[in-house]
C-alpha cells in the first residue's frame, strides 16, 4: 500500500507542477508506477540476502536494514544523492510495510538520525503511517494498529501523519458519522463494539468449546480486558489521530500532502518570490512586433 500511496503522491505533485525525488528503500519492492530516482536494490536486495544468508523474509529484511544503517557505502550512497537536492523538491522515501522495523528494533531510527538535522544531512522529515480503514470494522484490530502507530511515533521521534487508507473499501459498510469516531481514537469505541455480543460473554465451558481454542481466547474476558487496557493507554497518551485517504480522489491526496508540507515546513523553506515575477516573464516571452 505504501508504494501505491507514493505513486498517488507523485502523480498529484506532477499535476500541480511540483518537483519530487523518489527514493525506494524497500529491498523487496519489485513493481513501481514511477521508476525511483534512487533504489536501494542497486546495493542490496531481499532476494539475494535470503539466498546467501539462508534467512526468511522478515529476518532478511532486518538484515538489509542493518546493512543500510551500519555500512558507510550505503550512507554515502544516500548522502551523495540527497545532498545536492534543492528545497523546491519533495523527497519521497518508499519504505517496507513490516511494522517491527519501526516499533521493535532501532535500525530505522538510526537511518532517520542520519538523514535529519541531527545527522549528516539537513533534511526536515515526516513519517506517514498508513493503517487500512478496514481495521475499523474490527475494533480490537483497529486499536492494535493504533498502538503500533503510537509505538512508531515514540520510536522514530519525528513528526507523524497517521492515515486511514483505502477509504473506498468501507464507504458502503461504515457510515461517515461512524468513521469520524475513529479520527481521534478513545476507549469509548469499545463501549458499543458490534463484535461484543451476548453470546461472546457466555463462558467457553457452557458452550462446550475448548477454553484454550482461538475462538474462546478471542471472545473471553481476558481478551476484552486487554483491549480495554490498550485503548486506555492510547487515550491517556492522546498522541494518535488519523486523516482519511482515498488514493483515487485527487482532493484526498492533496489534503494529506498539505499536512505533510506543514509538518516539514516545506513552504517556509522556499525562496521568496516577487508577486509579479511570473507576469513579467510572460510579457518578456510575448512577441511585441
Amino acid at each position: 500500500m505504501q508504494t501505491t500511496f507514493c505513486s498517488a503522491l507523485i502523480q498529484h505533485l506532477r499535476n500541480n507542477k511540483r518537483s519530487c525525488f523518489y527514493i525506494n528503500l524497500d529491498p523487496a519492492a519489485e513493481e513501481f508506477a514511477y521508476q525511483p530516482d534512487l533504489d536501494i536494490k542497486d546495493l542490496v536486495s531481499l532476494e539475494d540476502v535470503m539466498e546467501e544468508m539462508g534467512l526468511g523474509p522478515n529476518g532478511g529484511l532486518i538484515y538489509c536494514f542493518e546493512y543500510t544503517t551500519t555500512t558507510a557505502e550505503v550512507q554515502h550512497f544516500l548522502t551523495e544523492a540527497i545532498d545536492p537536492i534543492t528545497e523546491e523538491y519533495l523527497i519521497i522515501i518508499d519504505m517496507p510495510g513490516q511494522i517491527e522495523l519501526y516499533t521493535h528494533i532501532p535500525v530505522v531510527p538510526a537511518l532517520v538520525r542520519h538523514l535529519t538535522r541531527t545527522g549528516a544531512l539537513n533534511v526536515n522529515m515526516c513519517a506517514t503511517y498508513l493503517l487500512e480503514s478496514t481495521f475499523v470494522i474490527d475494533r480490537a484490530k483497529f486499536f492494535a494498529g493504533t498502538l503500533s502507530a503510537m509505538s512508531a511515533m515514540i520510536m522514530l521521534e519525528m513528526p507523524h501523519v497517521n492515515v486511514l487508507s483505502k477509504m473506498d473499501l468501507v464507504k458502503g459498510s461504515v457510515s461517515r458519522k461512524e468513521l469520524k469516531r475513529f479520527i481521534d481514537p478513545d476507549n469509548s469505541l469499545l463501549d458499543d463494539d458490534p463484535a461484543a455480543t451476548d453470546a461472546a460473554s457466555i463462558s467457553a465451558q457452557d458452550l462446550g468449546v475448548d477454553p484454550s481454542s482461538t475462538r474462546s481466547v478471542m471472545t473471553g474476558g481476558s481478551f476484552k480486558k486487554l483491549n480495554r487496557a490498550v485503548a486506555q493507554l492510547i487515550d491517556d497518551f492522546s498522541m494518535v489521530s488519523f486523516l482519511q485517504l482515498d488514493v483515487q480522489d485527487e482532493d484526498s491526496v492533496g489534503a494529506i500532502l498539505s499536512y505533510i508540507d506543514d509538518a516539514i515546513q516545506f513552504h517556509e523553506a522556499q525562496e521568496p518570490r516577487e508577486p509579479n515575477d511570473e507576469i513579467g516573464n510572460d510579457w518578456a516571452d510575448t512577441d511585441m512586433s
Side-chain angles (χ1 to χ4, degrees):
M1 169 60 202
Q2 61 275 6
T3 300
T4 304
F5 171 64
C6 288
S7 299
L9 199 57
I10 292 169
Q11 183 60 57
H12 180 82
L13 290 167
R14 290 188 173 188
N15 291 344
N16 289 274
K17 296 180 172 56
R18 279 184 57 178
S19 302
C20 66
F21 189 85
Y22 181 30
I23 300 174
N24 172 52
L25 288 186
D26 184 354
E30 295 181 350
E31 297 182 2
F32 303 94
Y34 297 96
Q35 194 62 28
D37 298 297
L38 190 70
D39 194 344
I40 194 63
K41 290 192 300 176
D42 292 339
L43 293 182
V44 58
S45 73
L46 179 60
E47 184 178 358
D48 291 342
V49 167
M50 290 172 60
E51 183 178 343
E52 293 180 16
M53 306 298 294
L55 298 170
N58 286 342
L61 193 60
I62 292 172
Y63 180 93
C64 288
F65 264 83
E66 287 178 341
Y67 176 80
T68 299
T69 57
T70 59
T71 307
E73 178 189 5
V74 179
Q75 293 185 357
H76 178 71
F77 177 72
L78 293 171
T79 303
E80 188 178 41
I82 294 175
D83 197 39
I85 296 174
T86 61
E87 292 176 336
E88 288 80 15
Y89 282 76
L90 180 67
I91 301 172
I92 299 172
I93 304 178
D94 197 348
M95 299 288 289
Q98 281 78 353
I99 188 61
E100 60 267 24
L101 289 173
Y102 314 97
T103 60
H104 290 73
I105 52 180
V107 291
V108 175
L111 177 64
V112 169
R113 286 192 296 271
H114 176 72
L115 295 175
T116 58
R117 294 183 180 279
T118 58
L121 296 170
N122 192 21
V123 180
N124 284 343
M125 295 189 69
C126 164
T128 304
Y129 180 95
L130 302 177
L131 182 69
E132 286 193 20
S133 59
T134 52
F135 278 35
V136 306
I137 298 172
D138 184 340
R139 298 190 182 180
K141 196 174 180 180
F142 171 77
F143 277 111
T146 304
L147 182 63
S148 294
M150 188 174 78
S151 178
M153 293 173 74
I154 294 171
M155 191 81 164
L156 296 179
E157 298 181 322
M158 63 189 297
H160 260 67
V161 175
N162 297 303
V163 177
L164 285 176
S165 63
K166 301 184 180 180
M167 292 303 300
D168 55 305
L169 298 182
V170 297
K171 282 183 178 178
S173 55
V174 183
S175 68
R176 185 174 298 182
K177 181 179 180 181
E178 184 69 8
L179 279 173
K180 287 182 178 179
R181 299 183 61 198
F182 293 87
I183 299 302
D184 295 296
D186 62 65
N187 57 12
S188 67
L189 285 168
L190 293 175
D191 294 337
D192 57 351
D193 185 357
T197 61
D198 292 338
S201 65
I202 301 175
S203 68
Q205 289 88 346
D206 292 338
L207 289 171
V209 179
D210 181 2
S212 63
S213 68
T214 301
R215 178 184 174 188
S216 299
V217 172
M218 298 294 283
T219 58
S222 296
F223 183 67
K224 292 178 183 177
K225 289 179 181 178
L226 175 62
N227 287 332
R228 181 69 64 177
V230 168
Q232 187 61 54
L233 180 68
I234 292 167
D235 199 3
D236 289 344
F237 272 80
S238 192
M239 290 175 61
V240 184
S241 61
F242 288 98
L243 303 172
Q244 299 180 34
L245 171 66
D246 179 356
V247 294
Q248 306 299 327
D249 184 344
E250 186 81 4
D251 291 337
S252 178
V253 177
I256 301 296
L257 178 59
S258 68
Y259 279 89
I260 294 172
D261 283 341
D262 287 344
I264 64 174
Q265 299 179 316
F266 175 80
H267 296 293
E268 287 84 343
Q270 303 308 299
E271 291 291 333
R273 303 174 72 178
E274 292 295 333
N276 296 324
D277 277 353
E278 293 184 4
I279 297 176
N281 290 336
D282 291 341
W283 286 350
D285 293 337
T286 303
D287 185 357
M288 301 298 292
S289 59

